[in-house]
Amino acid sequence: MSEQTIALVTGANKGIGYEIAAGLGALGWRIGVGARDRQRRDTAVEKLRAAGTDAFGVPLDVTDDASVAAAAELIADQAGGLDVLVNNAAITGDLPQTPTTVDPATVRIVVETNVIGVIRVTNAMLPMLRASASPRIVNMSSSVGSLALQTTPGIDMGPVPAAYLASKTFLNALTIQYVKELSDTKILINSGCPGFTATDLNGFRGVRTPQQGAAIAIHLATLPDDGPTGGFFDDAGTVPW
């Protein structure tokens, strides 16, 4: 491992993922830009490099075993290891998604990316993360996945797509399980909520900029060695599970 911190950000070709890559790159880190679309990935890497970030492209489809395995090999070859993994790639899925009308196939597709994709990528990168001096895993979640907030009287979370919402609740549960299994390692693992950010995920209806949405991931990726693990956070602090 070099002294330079190495990070992989999935879904980093646009939106929040791109701004996470830019923010971490501004710290002098080397950034793997994980994305499926070659043209968008190449464009993002070029833009990051033009801004002074040491970025390299990582062809990555989080729903494909072979793609994820190849991505791990590429990072090992090009960067020599990995210190930080930001699981940012996610989809909303076809709408509408009311529980009584949602197509079960839509739920499967959303979970395949938002949950199973996180498992697939995390497990492929774990050998390198275990070898890091200060490893971090950040799972980009959402407060809409909070069962506590969803069931608190007087709190209106808005019309949230059922498959997407459930996938984030699932992801939060997964974060906790990883923390329990890896409690004897140095890896700090947390969920982060970017807030209602304007991206193509929500048709740009959000009220926060992608740069604002990226702030929590950058914070969790740069936690000190005695920082929290197994938590759910946004810019204001702790989000209830």
Side-chain angles (χ1 to χ4, degrees), residues 7-12 17-18 20-21 24 31-35 60 84-86 88:
L8 169 66
V9 182
T10 68
Y18 177 85
I20 294 171
L24 295 177
I31 309 298
V33 177
L60 180 59
V84 175
L85 169 62
V86 181
N88 167 76

Side-chain angles (χ1 to χ4, degrees), residues 5-230:
T5 301
I6 311 299
L8 169 66
V9 182
T10 68
N13 60 292
K14 59 183 178 179
I16 295 173
Y18 177 85
E19 294 299 339
I20 294 171
L24 295 177
L27 301 175
W29 292 17
R30 189 171 189 199
I31 309 298
V33 177
R36 291 180 298 178
D37 186 283
R38 184 177 66 179
Q39 184 173 354
R40 289 179 176 177
R41 183 177 63 246
D42 290 347
T43 298
V45 169
E46 290 174 7
K47 186 177 177 183
L48 287 166
R49 287 177 176 171
T53 291
D54 184 1
F56 63 100
V58 181
L60 180 59
D61 179 350
V62 303
T63 68
D64 182 81
D65 289 340
S67 173
V68 172
E73 290 183 11
L74 185 150
I75 293 168
D77 290 342
Q78 291 205 12
L82 186 67
D83 302 292
V84 175
L85 169 62
V86 181
N87 286 307
N88 167 76
I91 61 172
T92 302
D94 292 338
L95 300 173
Q97 288 180 12
T98 54
T100 58
T101 62
V102 66
D103 186 339
T106 296
V107 179
R108 291 190 187 97
I109 291 169
V110 171
V111 170
E112 181 66 47
T113 295
N114 297 4
V115 181
I116 299 174
V118 170
I119 296 173
R120 187 177 283 115
V121 174
T122 300
N123 291 352
M125 304 301 161
L126 262 179
M128 289 185 288
L129 291 168
R130 287 178 181 273
S132 169
S134 298
R136 308 285 180 265
I137 297 175
V138 181
N139 292 332
M140 290 303 284
S141 184
S142 172
S143 60
V144 300
S146 167
L147 295 178
L149 291 177
Q150 287 285 354
T151 56
T152 299
I155 294 181
D156 181 13
M157 303 294 286
V160 181
Y164 177 77
L165 182 155
S167 77
K168 293 305 183 180
T169 306
F170 194 166
L171 178 61
N172 286 343
L174 184 66
T175 297
I176 294 172
Q177 296 308 312
Y178 268 110
V179 170
K180 287 185 175 182
E181 182 180 355
L182 299 174
S183 61
D184 61 343
T185 74
K186 297 175 291 185
I187 307 174
L188 302 184
I189 310 169
N190 294 286
S191 285
C193 172
F196 192 32
T197 302
T199 68
D200 58 2
L201 194 74
N202 56 43
F204 298 95
R205 291 180 292 107
V207 296
R208 289 164 61 84
T209 66
Q211 190 171 23
Q212 290 173 320
I216 186 60
I218 294 169
H219 170 69
L220 294 175
T222 58
L223 287 173
D225 290 342
D226 61 351
T229 189

